[in-house]
Amino acid sequence: MPRTLRPHARRLARTTLRAAVTVGLATALVACSAASAEEAVVGESGRTVLRYDGSVGQVTFPELAADLGYYEKVELEWVGDSTGGPQSIQAAATGSTDFGGAFNGAIVKLKASGSPITSVISYYGSDELSYGGFYTLEGSPLTEPKDLIGKSIGVNTLGAQSEFVIREWLTRGGLTADEIDQVELIVVPPVNAEQVLREGQVDVVALSRVFQDKALERGGITPLFSELSLFGDFSYGTYIFRDEYIAQNPEVVEDFVQGTARAIRWSQVTPVEEVRARFTSIIEGRGRGETTDLVPYWKSASITAPGGVIVDEEISTWIDWLVREGELEEGRFSPEDIYTNDDNPYANGTYPQDAGPDGEPVEVSP
């Protein structure tokens, strides 16, 4: 375990404060940097350049959309790789990038801090094939929420999805606020999460996607609960733009959303092996010195709504949660204040719900 792991530990009650402080710093920078960043930059192709953060060894839906030729007015400029959702939306809010994506609860908090941003399309979630879970060692006496009082949970970042999901599970299990405060969250990079659990440095650890699959293959761990057990099929994260950018470049944002929606839909209706082959080709062709080791673990888009259409409940759940926790004034926001589906072809009438990426009815492939 890295020597810096324990200094990052904070009681659950304190993690939200840290996230709020970080968001506040991001918001303070908006006036300095975003105002000059709203003017669209046109690349050599004649298309508008959108700067973004990527993800090592993985293909994002905007990258897939660009590769599939779904953008007409947009070209992408990769500026680096994101360390997580909060960092991604902070970069977008401050104008370091043009769009970013994160867990919807973090986006509501960023909006509440005064940052003028809007969610435009869902990009990840949980379904029966792709979801995050929380695991203990096989034979652990920890089996229900009350068992976690005084215990530790390893998560990839503070103030993000894992924290919200954990608190929801503990609350549903009947724990009081004081009892929840006794559950400790410790920051553990996903690549180290399994090892940290097996070495007994945490009592529970969050695992998802490839890290979850690899850990389960090796055996010796058992699920405590999962996102799927709490919310079922559910989209958790959205891409955001600054409101001023949307106002000044509506056609660019519209093209980004329609192209990304079609790419999501392509992945929803295309056989898994074909999607993996496309991802492999993209990663090998972009010259970032990555491996394609993660590609075989891709199972699904993880989004059930056609083309990443945002559903009210995916936003209202976290607004209500923040109100319940006393972190947001009741009635301050409705879901419509946070997101729009106006540019999504699967929501605005351009394509029917059962259409594929080209607008024609299609059978969903396994």
Side-chain angles (χ1 to χ4, degrees):
M1 178 181 70
R3 296 173 68 90
T4 56
L5 182 61
R6 279 289 171 181
H8 282 86
R10 293 293 184 271
R11 288 294 178 189
L12 200 54
R14 299 175 185 170
T15 61
T16 304
L17 176 61
R18 170 181 280 190
V21 170
T22 304
V23 164
L25 291 173
T27 304
L29 292 171
V30 170
C32 300
S33 60
S36 61
E38 309 307 343
E39 185 175 348
V41 176
V42 178
E44 293 181 2
S45 66
R47 300 181 180 188
T48 298
V49 176
L50 290 181
R51 299 161 300 147
Y52 76 101
D53 287 322
S55 186
V56 177
Q58 299 178 67
V59 177
T60 66
F61 285 121
E63 290 171 332
L64 177 61
D67 189 70
L68 290 167
Y70 289 162
Y71 294 139
E72 298 177 359
K73 301 175 182 178
V74 165
E75 69 173 78
L76 301 178
E77 179 183 325
W78 173 70
V79 298
D81 291 313
S82 173
T83 59
Q87 184 270 333
S88 177
I89 58 174
Q90 288 160 23
T94 60
S96 297
T97 58
D98 295 309
F99 67 89
F103 166 57
N104 288 326
I107 289 171
V108 173
K109 291 184 70 168
L110 183 57
K111 185 84 169 183
S113 75
S115 187
I117 57 170
T118 297
S119 294
V120 296
I121 189 170
S122 291
Y123 75 99
Y124 85 91
S126 291
D127 61 19
E128 292 186 0
L129 295 175
S130 305
Y131 59 88
F134 294 81
Y135 293 84
T136 61
L137 291 176
E138 207 166 70
S140 168
L142 307 179
T143 60
E144 52 186 304
K146 68 178 183 180
D147 296 333
L148 268 68
I149 298 172
K151 304 301 182 181
S152 59
I153 305 176
V155 297
N156 69 321
T157 189
L158 302 178
Q161 180 177 333
S162 289
E163 177 185 343
F164 279 68
V165 171
I166 289 164
R167 291 189 67 122
E168 179 68 18
W169 185 69
L170 295 173
T171 299
R172 291 190 191 185
L175 270 66
T176 67
D178 286 343
E179 289 172 330
I180 291 174
D181 288 349
Q182 297 174 54
V183 180
E184 186 178 20
L185 292 189
I186 298 176
V187 174
V188 179
V191 69
N192 302 122
E194 178 189 353
Q195 176 186 355
V196 168
L197 175 66
R198 293 187 187 279
E199 291 178 352
Q201 298 177 50
V202 295
D203 301 295
V204 179
V205 75
L207 294 170
S208 62
R209 305 302 193 265
V210 61
F211 304 109
Q212 181 184 52
D213 291 345
K214 285 186 173 182
L216 290 172
E217 285 175 1
R218 282 185 275 266
I221 66 171
T222 188
L224 184 61
F225 72 98
S226 71
E227 301 165 351
L228 201 63
S229 68
L230 288 177
F231 298 105
D233 293 344
F234 200 79
S235 292
Y236 285 97
T238 50
Y239 284 127
I240 59 108
F241 279 86
R242 298 180 300 278
D243 290 346
E244 189 173 353
Y245 190 95
I246 295 173
Q248 293 190 17
N249 308 284
E251 293 182 355
V252 175
V253 176
E254 180 182 11
D255 189 51
F256 170 84
V257 175
Q258 70 81 26
T260 305
R262 291 169 63 199
I264 291 170
R265 190 60 176 154
W266 181 88
S267 75
Q268 290 173 325
V269 303
T270 302
V272 169
E273 289 304 325
E274 186 176 337
V275 176
R276 292 172 179 169
R278 192 88 187 202
F279 285 176
T280 297
S281 174
I282 293 171
I283 293 170
E284 290 178 344
R286 65 192 182 190
R288 299 182 193 170
E290 306 159 284
T291 73
T292 58
D293 292 350
L294 300 181
V295 172
Y297 291 90
W298 190 91
K299 297 177 181 178
S300 72
S302 77
I303 305 167
T304 55
V309 172
I310 303 170
V311 178
D312 261 18
E313 185 184 7
E314 297 160 359
I315 306 297
S316 65
T317 294
W318 309 116
I319 292 175
D320 295 345
W321 191 94
L322 288 166
V323 170
R324 187 183 72 207
E325 293 293 307
E327 297 184 46
L328 186 65
E329 181 182 352
E330 186 171 5
R332 180 174 177 186
F333 291 125
S334 67
E336 293 78 13
D337 298 321
I338 307 296
Y339 82 94
T340 177
N341 280 320
D342 287 353
D343 294 327
N344 194 313
Y346 298 93
N348 62 19
T350 301
Y351 292 164
Q353 291 279 302
D354 64 351
D358 297 317
E360 298 297 325
V362 66
E363 292 288 336
V364 177
S365 299

